[in-house]
Amino acid sequence: MLRRTLFVLAVFAPLPLDAAAYRDQYRGYAAHYRPGLMERVAQRRNMPQTPCMVATPYFALGSWVRVQSRKNGRTLRCRVTDVPQPHHVSALRKRNIVVELNFASARTLCNIQRSGQEPPRACPVILRP
């Protein structure tokens, strides 16, 4: 009986009006690059410097994403400046790291003052297009 009730609730429960907004949303944690490293990556790729630069396996290089801190509620618009090496992706997913931030953005979103101050799980985020 309980199984049938859960099925009925799952099938007939109303969907949120903005269900499409959840499709490309990733919840997890944010790690960060050491100071100056993401800026060097951008320079090597001939990409202009931007205030917020990230690495993520979920979006293409050069695309723009929004990263919202679940710790302090702040949101930054960031350019994907780097992508993880294929052999690192499984480790990131296992640790539920959805984005790696440049250091300045990590200071804003994660409330850190020095590199490695907190583990990634101390900085929960939502990553969206």
Side-chain angles (χ1 to χ4, degrees):
M1 183 67 169
L2 177 63
R3 182 181 241 169
R4 185 180 311 152
T5 304
L6 291 175
F7 173 78
V8 169
L9 287 174
V11 171
F12 296 106
L15 290 174
L17 295 176
D18 57 351
Y22 296 110
R23 185 177 49 235
D24 294 327
Q25 173 177 285
Y26 302 93
R27 290 176 177 259
Y29 303 112
H32 61 273
Y33 280 33
R34 68 180 181 267
L37 180 58
M38 187 73 78
E39 290 75 10
R40 287 194 298 277
V41 170
Q43 187 176 25
R44 234 177 315 151
R45 294 185 187 280
N46 293 319
M47 297 175 118
Q49 300 289 316
T50 63
C52 183
M53 296 180 281
V54 300
T56 181
Y58 299 102
F59 295 95
L61 194 64
S63 60
W64 289 88
V65 296
R66 286 177 291 148
V67 183
Q68 179 184 3
S69 171
R70 291 172 40 207
K71 188 172 189 171
N72 63 22
R74 297 193 63 184
T75 301
L76 295 177
R77 185 171 177 263
C78 308
R79 187 192 60 223
V80 178
T81 302
D82 199 11
V83 290
Q85 300 258 338
H87 59 277
H88 290 159
V89 172
S90 63
L92 292 172
R93 288 189 175 154
K94 184 177 180 181
R95 294 173 60 202
N96 201 20
I97 295 174
V98 296
V99 68
E100 295 174 276
L101 304 164
N102 66 321
F103 187 72
S105 300
R107 290 181 80 169
T108 301
L109 296 174
C110 305
N111 299 331
I112 62 169
Q113 298 305 314
R114 63 182 179 1
S115 186
Q117 175 181 328
E118 299 283 344
R121 69 181 171 275
C123 187
V125 296
I126 301 171
L127 177 68
R128 298 183 175 101

